[in-house]
Amino acid sequence: MDSTADPKGKRPLYQEDGLAYARAAAAAASATAAAAPDEEEAKPKPKPSSSSEEAKPEPEAEDQAEMPPLVLVAEDGVEVSISRRAARMSHMLRLLMEDSCADGPIPAPNVHSDILDLVVQYCEKHGPYYDPEASERARNPFPPFPVELTPTVSSIKPVTYVDPDPHGLKDWDKDFISLDNSTLFEVILAANYLNIEDLLDLGTTTVADMMRGKKPEEIREIFEIENDYTPEQEAELRKENAWAFED
Amino acid sequence: MDRLCDNIVEEILCRLPAKYLHRVRATARRYNLIILSPEFGARYWESHAPYLSGVFLQSNRPWGQHSRFLAGPSDRPSTATRSVFASDLAFLPRLPAGPPARDGEIFIMHAAAGLLLCSRGEYKAVQYYVCNPVSWQWVALPELPRPPTHLSGLLSVTNNRDGSSIKCFQVALFNHPSGWNQNNGCLDLKVFSSATGRWAAKSIRSPTIDVVTHAPPFLGQSGTAYWIGYSPMDKLIAYNSLNHTIQVLPLPSRVRDTTALNRCVGERQGGGLRYAHFDFSMFQVWDLQFGGVNGVWWKLVHQVGVMELAERNPEATALVTKPEYVEWRVNANSPGSSLFSVLGVHPTADIIFLDVNGNVGAYSIEHGTIRYQCPNQYFRSDVFPYVHPAHPVEIPAITKAPLELNRS
């Protein structure tokens, strides 16, 4: 839409350029095209079509030449590619892209390739709608007067109800995050390493939701925590804040 | 779970209210250490405290009550705060499911020092609760034997000597000033103190007040209730429930005060009274100052023309078709048809909450712009300023009153 798109991914938000999409960049990424299909077969879960397209380099809508997708290397050596647009969601990858260090393979130690796939899946889904400036705007919502009322700049919302979830991402997130505990923790660790704020937020909130309303025994059972209290110490703790243990 | 590093565990624990943090402490030593560490405490309050000052907006609608928390500057608190802050008070006990009767619903009566005073049922309530929506702790006050005729209540707290925790709290239910100076009328109080654990009834003769008012009070966090006068219009009745004093304060007069409406008063955090009104073509905000000839005077802190306000916020006037109607609607005298009406004052930020054509907006004095908060198509809305301090607030235990002797 706006041809003077800021390379750092600032507004306006990414727009698909139909023509650019049709052009398949021949550059690089043929190596990733070879590696990616292997791990795609190894994966048990079906993936949405957007990530299977990662075998081909994903064309970018920036006015610079199409950038090939980034290549992340998991701990078991499998390479996973992630489009530049989706990689913006990771603060670490964003910094690498800005410093132009992102052309070669990027190591992601301690992250298994299955988990990396899940993380990339999340980023690809949220990537097109991700606005790095959104949290900054929320923190300072009153622009000084006078204000240029272009739609993306104005935080004077219309005096009618605005749908907080226009792209239907909440339901997708709920399905995405319904994983077993160990996978969930691995995803959280990976999001922490790659510094993906939204995914970390989603993961930790899900864990907190699982804890809420449960008794300590139930929490221990769900999260496989070992109880290293003596019965007297535990009774002492319960007495100290008795109100917290009532229902 | 034991595999997660401390940093991530802290991140998860930041999303739990204090009630469940205590339960997690009881699971294993590691979590006890994490939760008790001062670094975690600082992190917890740093992430939540900025969003925990604002107002509770409680609206009356015929099919049930509805309350929401408006923080003003940030109407989108972080997901962590949304997990912790139960602004819908869902943790209070509800009556078993049945037709939603107003008698069974929880109504907010007052907020002070991070705690809320709620009643079950709006009128003729006998059951009252004091709760903390951030830690999810609540206590039920002993039931009153008879429903009181009072509709207003004030919660006030007394801090411990070192000021870090609450020593005791007091709940005072009181009647409207219109009943104070009638024949044989006086200030009727029902006072509950957590130190005694009992309700006590009191009657106080009020000094003769020549002010007629019918409006509901604006309740301040210091335990004071304010009624804006109707006739004469430039007087304010203030009743303080801690020392049971009644005062009449002057209010700034209005150029064209054909109606005594569209005005509000609110206490600011740390003391100080703020008053806002629409006066024909101006919107003015005043702060109370001490000193001067009469001991108090009002200082004008902000003034903006109503037409300018409408110009800056074109969405508000979008529904008004012709430009000449804008001025008429902006200055309309009857409530409901006026385009702007003032609802309440934010306790910490320089924000006034306005009702803009059926929606609540937060008007920033510094920037002069209005930020939409929520719709407000209700008959009456009450505003309760609420600030939770950046440390845990525990409700002091209620002393058990000695058992009454059984009469056989």
Side-chain angles (χ1 to χ4, degrees):
Chain A
M1 196 171 84
D2 189 349
S3 56
T4 56
D6 194 319
K8 292 200 177 121
K10 292 186 182 152
R11 34 188 146 77
L13 297 178
Y14 255 102
Q15 302 288 332
E16 288 271 41
D17 189 90
L19 210 52
Y21 199 86
R23 283 183 262 143
S30 47
T32 52
D38 300 353
E39 45 87 2
E40 274 188 61
E41 276 146 19
K43 235 181 342 329
K45 292 196 230 352
K47 275 177 76 163
S49 54
S50 64
S51 26
S52 57
E53 279 174 46
E54 282 167 52
K56 310 191 251 337
E58 188 114 31
E60 304 289 302
E62 288 174 330
D63 61 345
Q64 297 96 316
E66 295 91 26
M67 308 276 220
L70 303 179
V71 173
L72 302 167
V73 183
E75 70 175 346
D76 45 347
V78 178
E79 292 184 348
V80 179
S81 65
I82 175 171
S83 69
R84 300 242 161 188
R85 190 173 56 190
R88 286 185 311 141
M89 292 198 71
S90 154
H91 195 69
M92 182 185 108
L93 295 179
R94 202 157 70 230
L95 289 174
L96 287 180
M97 287 200 289
E98 283 168 19
D99 293 342
S100 310
C101 305
D103 298 326
I106 301 164
N110 309 323
V111 182
H112 191 71
S113 56
D114 294 341
I115 308 295
L116 203 52
D117 286 330
L118 281 174
V119 172
V120 166
Q121 194 181 347
Y122 178 88
C123 291
E124 293 290 345
K125 178 74 182 180
H126 282 251
Y129 316 112
Y130 178 61
D131 180 11
E133 302 286 301
S135 54
E136 183 56 49
R137 268 212 298 283
R139 257 173 272 153
N140 185 18
F142 288 106
F145 184 80
V147 134
E148 302 120 31
L149 289 177
T150 60
T152 43
V153 173
S154 165
S155 67
I156 301 174
K157 293 206 190 102
V159 190
T160 48
Y161 180 69
V162 173
D163 185 5
D165 184 24
H167 306 288
L169 291 170
K170 280 223 168 28
D171 295 326
W172 189 89
D173 282 345
K174 220 163 56 154
D175 291 333
F176 174 79
I177 207 71
S178 45
L179 308 160
D180 57 297
N181 280 357
S182 52
T183 318
L184 179 58
F185 292 142
E186 292 293 331
V187 168
I188 293 178
L189 284 166
N192 189 37
Y193 175 73
L194 291 172
N195 206 337
I196 306 173
E197 204 180 312
D198 290 343
L199 183 55
L200 191 60
D201 202 14
L202 178 65
T204 47
T205 310
T206 311
V207 175
D209 286 342
M210 277 197 263
M211 283 188 183
R212 203 172 309 131
K214 304 272 195 310
K215 301 201 189 56
E217 306 82 49
E218 292 167 358
I219 299 178
R220 278 194 216 115
E221 200 184 303
I222 297 175
F223 294 104
E224 294 161 17
I225 300 174
E226 213 184 287
N227 181 7
D228 49 359
Y229 282 122
T230 66
E232 298 84 29
Q233 288 168 335
E234 200 178 321
E236 178 74 39
L237 260 176
R238 281 176 185 255
K239 212 173 58 165
E240 204 182 309
N241 292 293
W243 64 269
F245 295 89
E246 294 162 23
D247 225 339
Chain B
M1 177 85 160
D2 292 329
R3 279 176 295 147
L4 291 177
C5 59
D6 280 0
N7 187 32
I8 297 186
V9 170
E10 282 187 7
E11 191 67 40
I12 295 173
L13 295 176
C14 273
R15 288 160 165 78
L16 286 175
K19 179 169 177 174
Y20 300 108
L21 282 183
H22 288 302
R23 294 192 187 185
V24 171
R25 277 177 63 198
T27 54
R29 282 181 209 267
R30 175 192 179 202
Y31 304 101
N32 192 27
L33 280 173
I34 292 178
I35 292 173
L36 290 181
S37 69
E39 295 83 33
F40 172 71
R43 180 174 177 169
Y44 188 84
W45 292 107
E46 203 183 300
S47 69
H48 295 310
Y51 301 106
L52 295 179
S53 56
V55 300
F56 273 95
L57 181 76
Q58 182 165 264
S59 318
N60 289 12
R61 39 176 190 175
W63 55 95
Q65 105 45 19
H66 176 70
S67 71
R68 41 193 319 159
F69 185 75
L70 305 174
S74 40
D75 63 346
R76 276 188 62 236
S78 64
T79 39
T81 312
R82 263 182 278 150
S83 308
V84 165
F85 187 45
S87 54
D88 57 355
L89 304 181
F91 58 92
L92 288 174
R94 304 272 156 170
L95 290 186
R102 290 176 77 69
D103 300 334
E105 302 213 13
I106 301 285
F107 281 82
I108 301 177
M109 299 196 76
H110 189 219
L115 302 177
L116 283 177
L117 171 69
C118 313
S119 66
R120 178 183 297 289
E122 193 181 7
Y123 307 107
K124 303 182 183 296
V126 293
Q127 180 72 71
Y128 292 88
Y129 302 97
V130 171
C131 66
N132 181 335
V134 175
S135 72
W136 294 27
Q137 183 187 10
W138 60 271
V139 294
L141 305 191
E143 277 192 30
L144 283 171
R146 270 193 313 283
T149 50
H150 321 105
L151 299 182
S152 312
L154 277 172
L155 171 69
S156 42
V157 301
T158 320
N159 286 322
N160 268 326
R161 209 159 270 279
D162 51 1
S164 64
S165 55
I166 302 180
K167 188 167 78 169
C168 66
F169 66 84
Q170 177 190 278
V171 170
L173 304 176
F174 51 92
N175 58 347
H176 197 270
S178 51
W180 292 354
N181 288 133
Q182 284 170 2
N183 304 335
N184 303 323
C186 56
L187 173 62
D188 278 327
L189 291 175
K190 291 238 180 2
V191 180
F192 174 86
S193 165
S194 67
T196 61
R198 274 201 189 140
W199 288 97
K202 266 183 161 144
S203 292
I204 300 182
R205 285 224 75 86
S206 95
T208 317
I209 313 172
D210 289 323
V211 185
V212 172
T213 177
H214 306 293
F218 290 96
L219 303 177
Q221 290 196 75
S222 69
T224 317
Y226 303 94
W227 288 269
I228 298 185
Y230 182 77
S231 139
M233 287 181 219
D234 57 350
K235 289 277 187 277
L236 178 75
I237 306 175
Y239 159 65
N240 184 313
S241 66
L242 276 176
N243 42 20
H244 301 300
T245 52
I246 299 172
Q247 259 190 311
V248 175
L249 299 169
L251 279 180
S253 55
R254 307 210 290 183
V255 166
R256 172 175 158 169
D257 47 4
T258 52
T259 71
L261 305 167
N262 214 347
R263 325 147 81 181
C264 82
V265 133
E267 265 184 25
R268 311 267 295 143
Q269 185 74 358
L273 201 57
R274 178 162 281 187
Y275 166 79
H277 71 196
F278 277 89
D279 178 13
F280 188 50
S281 59
M282 303 294 291
F283 173 59
Q284 295 175 331
V285 181
W286 306 73
D287 272 349
L288 187 67
Q289 312 284 323
F290 293 101
V293 175
N294 301 320
V296 293
W297 59 281
W298 290 93
K299 177 173 161 196
L300 181 65
V301 289
H302 182 70
Q303 178 171 274
V304 64
V306 165
M307 287 306 293
E308 196 180 335
L309 206 58
E311 262 173 48
R312 290 180 189 177
N313 303 280
E315 299 88 4
T317 53
L319 294 180
V320 184
T321 45
K322 286 194 191 165
E324 45 272 23
Y325 286 170
V326 170
E327 202 175 72
W328 173 78
R329 281 212 56 190
V330 152
N331 296 310
N333 287 327
S334 45
S337 61
S338 163
L339 205 52
F340 295 104
S341 51
V342 65
L343 285 180
V345 171
H346 193 287
T348 46
D350 273 335
I351 287 177
I352 310 282
F353 289 95
L354 304 176
D355 176 312
V356 179
N357 202 18
N359 296 284
V360 177
Y363 172 76
S364 155
I365 292 180
E366 191 187 331
H367 297 108
T369 48
I370 299 184
R371 182 170 178 80
Y372 167 78
Q373 303 279 303
C374 66
N376 182 40
Q377 308 276 3
Y378 309 122
F379 174 58
R380 188 187 103 194
S381 297
D382 290 315
V383 160
F384 300 99
Y386 174 86
V387 176
H388 192 285
H391 54 80
V393 174
E394 200 172 308
I395 306 177
I398 299 180
T399 318
K400 292 263 182 287
L403 290 174
E404 309 264 349
L405 288 175
N406 239 337
R407 293 187 200 180
S408 47

